[in-house]
Amino acid sequence: MKTIPYGRQTIDEEDIQAVVDVLRSDRLTQGPAVEAFEEALAAYCGARYAVACASGTAALHLAYQAAGLGPGDLVMTSPNTFAATGNAALFLGAKPLFADIDPATSNLSPSEIEKTISALQAERGHLKAIVPVHYAGTPCDMESIAKIAERHRLLVIEDGCHALGASYADKKIGGLSDMTVFSFHPVKTITTGEGGAIVTNREDYYQRLKRLRSHGIERTDFLEPSHGAWYHEIQELGYNYRMTDLQAALGRSQLKKVDRFVARRREIAALYHTAFNGNPYFDLPVEAAGSVSSYHLYPIRLKDSFKTQKKEIFRRLREQGLGIQVHYLPVYWHPVYRKMGYRKGLCPAAENFYQREISLPIFPAMTQQEVTYVIETVDRVFRDRA
Ligand SMILES: *Cc1c(COP(=O)(O)O)cnc(C)c1O
């Protein structure tokens, strides 16, 4: 039996044709397909602008730089995320400051954010932004986070890599904050192979993001007199973080199906909820009131008596063909962070969550038979260990 992965892409003939069409066209890298994808993405999110780029990690890097983060600055974020959320701050000489999660939602806790800000002393002025991560596709408490940000004059940059298609207070994730970052890696809601984007309502961020994406090249606002029609300037250091038209054509084709993908993810989550409701082995993910999760992941949390058996249970589930995964090792547990002085014990709720969490397979193309197999296998493996 083939392993059922925890997540994977859903590609149809229309997607394939969209990529083939670009291959037959004049432009392969950033061109009309990128622009069309950006327009469609911004419209979907209810935001004014979108800037597509090479990956979610590149999008975080660009967003942080466009926001003006630099050496010595601090960025408040969750330890329960893919490390790139923190790493991108390090790229700029800034430092992530981790606040603990709310055990109920596994998202950044507003009260922990407040506590962490209060504990800052001389560095208080260096804190520039809060980066909420909508873990597993469950939107954070954005109303409380926006209030804290306003009170302390902080930017809000959402890591929405799990949350394309999710909504908060009847608005799609992406239109709420200063900037929101998405990833189009194959396990995410839609894919472009590799790829990412930033959506924003702010014209100044939009212009700077576009410039930084392509070497910082400026073609209009020159500091020196123009030498002629060929002339361009690099006024600030940028990157080659461009998305190709091949990727963007795939992205645009995928975006047409985003609501269908999310609906199918939610259907699978509902089947799991029903099957596992009240089980004695693990707790189920909860969807915060007033929000709609995109169910990027289906994270279960082992109860006390099974926590110590996680390694063995994980091994057995894998042996049975479930391509389960664990999300996430608290970011600051990675040796690269430990070497910078981050200590274990910093965020007890996130550490406890890591020790209990397992992500079950969930992706739109999962068949009914596969869902049933996951449910029966999970039941059997836990029952054997009880
Ligand atoms: C996937 C992901 C990223 C990075 O995206 P890439 O496209 O893989 O670079 C960042 N943050 C979170 C929460 C993610 O899930």
Side-chain angles (χ1 to χ4, degrees):
M1 154 138 200
K2 229 173 95 191
T3 294
I4 307 170
Y6 80 86
R8 65 158 285 152
Q9 70 277 16
T10 307
I11 300 288
D12 64 16
E13 282 307 315
E14 183 192 24
D15 295 326
I16 292 166
Q17 194 53 50
V19 177
V20 171
D21 289 347
V22 172
L23 278 170
R24 296 190 201 284
S25 78
D26 293 332
R27 290 288 286 273
L28 295 187
T29 190
Q30 188 179 299
V34 168
E35 260 180 51
F37 177 48
E38 289 174 336
E39 268 176 36
L41 182 65
Y44 178 78
C45 294
R48 289 177 65 193
Y49 309 105
V51 175
C53 62
S55 68
T57 304
L60 284 162
H61 190 186
L62 292 172
Y64 292 171
Q65 190 160 335
L69 291 175
D73 288 336
L74 294 174
V75 187
M76 170 95 61
T77 194
S78 171
N80 185 33
T81 182
F82 183 58
T85 318
N87 297 353
L90 298 175
F91 295 166
L92 294 162
K95 269 186 72 177
L97 179 66
F98 297 102
D100 211 349
I101 60 171
D102 175 350
T105 61
S106 317
N107 277 331
L108 258 183
S109 148
S111 63
E112 290 294 326
I113 296 176
E114 283 284 20
K115 240 167 70 185
T116 309
I117 295 177
S118 301
L120 287 174
Q121 311 206 325
E123 325 93 281
R124 177 87 65 107
H126 295 284
L127 180 60
K128 296 290 161 60
I130 304 178
V131 183
V133 181
H134 307 299
Y135 175 78
T138 301
C140 296
D141 178 353
M142 292 309 293
E143 192 184 332
S144 303
I145 290 172
K147 279 189 192 140
I148 296 170
E150 204 177 298
R151 195 155 53 241
H152 298 280
R153 294 174 190 286
L154 302 171
L155 292 171
V156 178
I157 302 168
E158 294 170 60
D159 182 334
C161 289
H162 294 186
L164 181 67
S167 44
Y168 177 85
D170 291 326
K171 289 203 182 86
K172 284 268 155 43
I173 292 296
L176 298 167
S177 305
D178 297 291
M179 287 184 261
T180 302
V181 167
F182 294 113
S183 162
F184 310 119
H185 178 280
V187 297
K188 308 295 164 79
T189 316
I190 65 166
T191 191
T192 59
E194 297 282 358
I198 308 100
V199 297
T200 181
N201 287 314
R202 278 190 42 177
E203 156 90 23
D204 56 340
Y205 288 151
Y206 173 61
Q207 296 299 347
R208 190 155 179 217
L209 289 165
K210 282 202 298 183
R211 210 160 48 226
L212 289 169
R213 169 177 64 181
S214 197
H215 307 285
I217 287 173
E218 188 59 70
R219 293 193 187 275
T220 48
D221 280 334
F222 299 136
L223 293 182
E224 299 278 319
S226 173
H227 302 181
W230 65 86
Y231 188 69
H232 63 266
E233 289 181 346
I234 292 175
Q235 298 168 4
E236 89 172 308
L237 199 59
Y239 314 92
N240 178 354
Y241 276 169
R242 292 185 300 263
M243 177 180 272
T244 66
D245 260 25
L246 299 168
Q247 294 166 304
L250 177 56
R252 185 150 175 251
S253 178
Q254 286 260 300
L255 191 61
K256 293 180 190 160
K257 290 165 274 209
V258 59
D259 287 334
R260 242 189 294 152
F261 289 165
V262 169
R264 177 61 185 151
R265 284 178 176 276
R266 294 181 57 77
E267 223 169 74
I268 296 165
L271 291 169
Y272 284 158
H273 285 336
T274 307
F276 297 133
N277 187 29
N279 83 79
Y281 317 121
F282 51 82
D283 293 320
L284 308 180
V286 274
E287 195 167 28
S291 67
V292 177
S293 174
S294 54
Y295 277 103
H296 165 61
L297 302 173
Y298 192 86
I300 60 170
R301 288 165 291 158
L302 308 199
K303 289 187 192 283
D304 279 335
S305 45
F306 293 91
K307 184 177 144 185
T308 50
Q309 301 194 57
K310 176 165 155 175
K311 221 168 150 174
E312 182 59 23
I313 288 167
F314 189 92
R315 195 182 62 77
R316 290 183 181 217
L317 290 170
R318 276 270 177 99
E319 255 174 28
Q320 298 298 309
L322 305 196
I324 48 166
Q325 192 44 277
V326 170
H327 302 94
Y328 287 99
L329 184 79
V331 173
Y332 60 84
W333 278 24
H334 284 287
V336 60
Y337 283 82
R338 302 283 291 283
K339 285 178 205 158
M340 286 183 284
Y342 290 86
R343 295 275 170 264
K344 279 193 177 179
L346 186 63
C347 299
E351 296 183 5
N352 183 43
F353 182 75
Y354 165 64
Q355 283 154 354
R356 294 170 190 267
E357 197 271 346
I358 294 176
S359 302
L360 300 187
I362 189 164
F363 53 92
M366 241 181 128
T367 63
Q368 208 56 42
Q369 201 182 359
E370 286 174 320
V371 174
T372 305
Y373 180 77
V374 171
I375 291 169
E376 286 172 0
T377 306
V378 167
D379 261 342
R380 179 159 31 84
V381 166
F382 276 91
R383 215 177 321 114
D384 284 352
R385 303 299 298 176

